[in-house]
């Protein structure tokens, strides 16, 4: 039986000492295990993005449906993250950690062996379900293991570094696995990692639990999941049927109704999934809205960068992985600058400047074309976007914990991560609709190249997707036609990508007026320990 005297958030009470912490003696080994789990969850958000073009071709996934590879994971993860934190605290953090890791591995195996699009989508959703149990369990183990302020600061520094660097590692690892092994290993690689993590957790980590009221808010969980799922599906229907269609309006409306009912249930619940006092605060509420908009731009808007690099510019998966790295590098760089400045000037100036810089970076990406250079058109936009996000994210995460009671600190930290994932799911669905609509508008307003006269139908059929060797054997008029068709196709793709980047910029800049009007926090109001890094 655990003797842990901590609350749900894992923060120590006055009675907490190293002697009543069962994991204290092995705390640095515990940190290594938790860091490994965090790395698995974080990199899985980006490792699949690099593999997506090949997975799409292999499984015959349509352009409008491929976003579900990202959306299914982010939606399940974000919608269930708060419940996962409650389960971990009440059921047992070690037990939840091991079950989450095992389930994540099983879901990864299903996805790695998927034979069609629906199997892959379902596997990604299942990954999100178990990630929602695994991630808060890992964080709870960390916060209940490190008691001293200095040691906890070091532990969170490692945890934050993993959160920031995991996305970059996912880009590189995804590129290498896709190019030199198979895209399926971007999912299957989780299996040996999970086996190792479970094997070392079993003898090393001791069980801890929170005490007190351990009831679960099942109605709230169902309503938030149905509401968010209906919203996301409604956005995807807009691409197929239009924004004014019965399907689109119906699903979006049903989602909004479910979310409204969720708020009513939380008000009356004795042990709510989300204590409404957490987001119902002008500073914290702004931070949560901001994190949702960041997730939308980060996970939704930049998904199309992968397609542009591989499909239009012809980058290999490894090259695409390296080509995406500047964003992560500049996020880390700017986060260090932001952490120092926020203690001097407060969070508000950085939260106004950051979105403007990030939006400018996304607007730079709208200049891409079929034949533009990576270094002149992609790199400047990525670097600027990443730097702006880095300036914004540190004060925004700290703002989310201002004035939160110890009992609700876990919910506040989880809500930051949940809103990022939810924003990513909604953004991916929205930007997919924008991308498809822009591409369709381009093909409607631009005539396709006319096939050359007198060329056999067999030659034109072969010319649709010729290899370089095949192309060299075709008549010159056919070669010219193929080149014109490729330029036409790529121009339509670029039009879609550019519109997605522009809308992502518009969404993230919305943070600025919200911060100007609502945020009142000063530099002395920021939490002393800092915030937990985003997943």
């Amino acid at each position: 039986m655990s003797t842990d005297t901590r609350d749900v958030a894992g923060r120590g009470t006055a009675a907490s000492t190293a002697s009543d912490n069962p994991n204290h003696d092995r705390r640095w080994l515990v940190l290594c295990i938790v860091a490994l789990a965090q790395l698995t969850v974080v990199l899985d958000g980006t490792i699949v993005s690099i593999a997506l073009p090949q997975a799409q071709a292999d499984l015959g996934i349509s352009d409008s449906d491929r976003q579900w590879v990202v959306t299914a994971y982010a939606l399940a993860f974000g919608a269930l993250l708060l419940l996962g934190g409650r389960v971990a605290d009440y059921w047992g953090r070690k037990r939840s950690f091991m079950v989450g890791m095992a389930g994540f591995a099983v879901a990864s195996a299903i996805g790695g062996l998927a034979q069609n699009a629906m199997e892959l989508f379902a596997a990604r959703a299942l990954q999100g379900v178990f990630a929602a149990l695994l991630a808060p369990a890992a964080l709870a183990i960390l916060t209940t293991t490190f008691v001293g302020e200095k040691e906890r600061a070091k532990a969170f520094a490692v945890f934050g570094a993993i959160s920031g660097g995991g996305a970059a590692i996912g880009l590189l690892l995804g590129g290498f696995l896709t190019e030199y092994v198979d895209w399926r290993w971007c999912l299957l690689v989780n299996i040996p990692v999970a086996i190792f993590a479970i094997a070392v957790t079993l003898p090393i980590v001791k069980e801890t639990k929170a005490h007190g009221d351990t009831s679960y808010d099942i109605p709230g969980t169902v309503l938030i999941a149905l509401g968010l799922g209906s919203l996301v599906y409604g956005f995807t229907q807009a691409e197929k049927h239009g924004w004014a269609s019965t399907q689109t309006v119906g699903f979006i409306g049903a989602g909004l109704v479910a979310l409204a009912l969720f708020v009513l249930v939380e008000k009356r619940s004795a042990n709510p999934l989300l204590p409404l006092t957490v987001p119902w605060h002008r500073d914290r509420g702004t931070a949560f809205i901001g994190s949702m908009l960041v997730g939308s731009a980060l996970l939704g808007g930049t998904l199309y960068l992968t397609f542009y690099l591989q499909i239009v510019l012809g980058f290999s998966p490894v090259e695409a992985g390296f080509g995406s790295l500047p964003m992560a590098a500049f996020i880390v760089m700017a986060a260090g600058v932001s952490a120092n400045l926020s203690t001097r000037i407060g969070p508000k100036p950085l939260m106004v400047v950051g979105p403007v810089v990030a939006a400018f970076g996304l607007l730079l990406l709208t200049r891409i074309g079929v034949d533009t250079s990576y270094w002149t058109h992609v790199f400047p936009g990525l670097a600027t976007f990443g730097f702006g996000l880095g300036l914004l994210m540190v004060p925004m995460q700290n703002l989310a914990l201002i004035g939160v009671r110890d009992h609700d600190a876990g919910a506040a930290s989880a809500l930051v991560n949940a809103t990022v994932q939810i924003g990513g799911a909604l953004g991916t669905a929205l930007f997919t609709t924008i991308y498809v609509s822009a591409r369709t508008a381009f093909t409607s307003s631009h005539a396709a190249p006319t096939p050359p006269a007198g060329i056999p139908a067999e030659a034109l059929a072969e010319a649709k997707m010729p290899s370089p060797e095949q192309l060299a054997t075709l008549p010159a008029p056919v070669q010219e036609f193929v080149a014109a068709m490729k330029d036409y196709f790529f121009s339509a793709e670029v039009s879609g990508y550019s519109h997605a980047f522009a809308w992502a910029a518009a969404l993230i800049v919305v943070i600025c007026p919200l911060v100007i009007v609502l945020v009142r926090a000063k530099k002395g109001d920021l939490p002393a320990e800092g915030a937990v890094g985003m997943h």
Side-chain angles (χ1 to χ4, degrees), residues 196-240:
F196 175 77
I198 293 171
V200 296
T201 299
L202 194 59
I204 292 176
V205 179
K206 304 301 180 182
E207 185 64 279
T208 61
K209 296 180 181 179
H211 302 292
D213 188 351
T214 57
S215 60
Y216 298 108
D217 180 15
I218 301 302
T221 301
V222 172
L223 284 171
I224 191 71
L226 288 177
L228 293 172
S230 185
L231 275 180
V232 169
Y233 191 71
F235 285 148
T236 64
Q237 293 304 294
E239 173 265 317
K240 298 178 181 178

Side-chain angles (χ1 to χ4, degrees), residues 111-242:
L113 300 174
Q115 299 301 304
N116 56 60
M118 289 307 300
E119 290 179 8
L120 181 59
F121 300 158
R124 288 288 286 168
L126 193 60
Q127 276 188 312
V129 170
F130 285 105
L133 179 62
L134 172 61
L139 180 59
I141 290 173
L142 183 69
T143 55
T144 56
T145 297
F146 287 87
V147 180
E149 188 172 319
K150 291 183 178 180
E151 286 191 348
R152 178 176 285 188
K154 293 179 181 179
F156 274 107
V158 173
F159 193 82
I162 292 294
S163 298
I169 295 173
L171 293 171
L172 293 179
L173 183 59
F176 277 102
L177 290 174
T178 301
E179 185 166 347
Y180 297 116
V181 188
D182 189 272
W183 69 265
R184 296 179 181 276
W185 275 98
C186 291
L187 295 165
L188 297 175
V189 71
N190 293 321
I191 298 173
V193 174
I195 292 174
F196 175 77
I198 293 171
V200 296
T201 299
L202 194 59
I204 292 176
V205 179
K206 304 301 180 182
E207 185 64 279
T208 61
K209 296 180 181 179
H211 302 292
D213 188 351
T214 57
S215 60
Y216 298 108
D217 180 15
I218 301 302
T221 301
V222 172
L223 284 171
I224 191 71
L226 288 177
L228 293 172
S230 185
L231 275 180
V232 169
Y233 191 71
F235 285 148
T236 64
Q237 293 304 294
E239 173 265 317
K240 298 178 181 178
H241 305 290

Side-chain angles (χ1 to χ4, degrees), residues 392-473:
L392 168 66
M393 288 166 69
V394 171
M396 184 176 67
Q397 292 176 71
N398 284 327
L399 200 67
L401 295 183
I402 282 182
V404 177
R405 298 176 303 167
D406 281 351
H407 182 76
D408 294 330
S413 296
L415 187 58
V416 176
N417 295 318
T419 49
V420 170
Q421 297 297 330
I422 291 167
L426 293 171
T428 302
L430 174 62
F431 297 142
T432 295
T433 297
I434 292 169
Y435 153 78
V436 173
S437 298
R439 191 185 62 178
T440 302
F442 179 92
T443 55
S444 299
S445 60
H446 294 76
T450 303
I455 302 297
E458 304 81 38
L460 288 178
E462 186 181 20
K464 289 180 180 178
M465 290 296 294
S467 66
E469 294 77 14
Q470 291 173 326
L471 186 61
T473 63

Side-chain angles (χ1 to χ4, degrees), residues 96 244 484:
S96 300

Side-chain angles (χ1 to χ4, degrees), residues 358-375:
F360 182 67
L362 287 168
L363 290 177
L364 288 177
L365 289 175
T366 63
R367 302 180 307 130
I368 59 173
V370 175
D371 299 314
T372 49
S373 165
Y374 169 84
W375 291 108

Side-chain angles (χ1 to χ4, degrees), residues 23 26-35 141 145 204-205:
N23 289 314
R26 299 178 177 180
R27 58 194 181 281
W28 299 111
L29 286 175
V30 171
L31 175 60
C32 293
I33 296 170
V34 169
I141 290 173
T145 297
I204 292 176
V205 179

Side-chain angles (χ1 to χ4, degrees), residues 25 38 44 84 167 211 244 269 275 279 330 391 400 438 453 464 495:
D25 291 340
Q38 174 71 357
D44 225 71
H211 302 292
S269 175
F330 277 84
L391 291 177
K464 289 180 180 178
S495 177

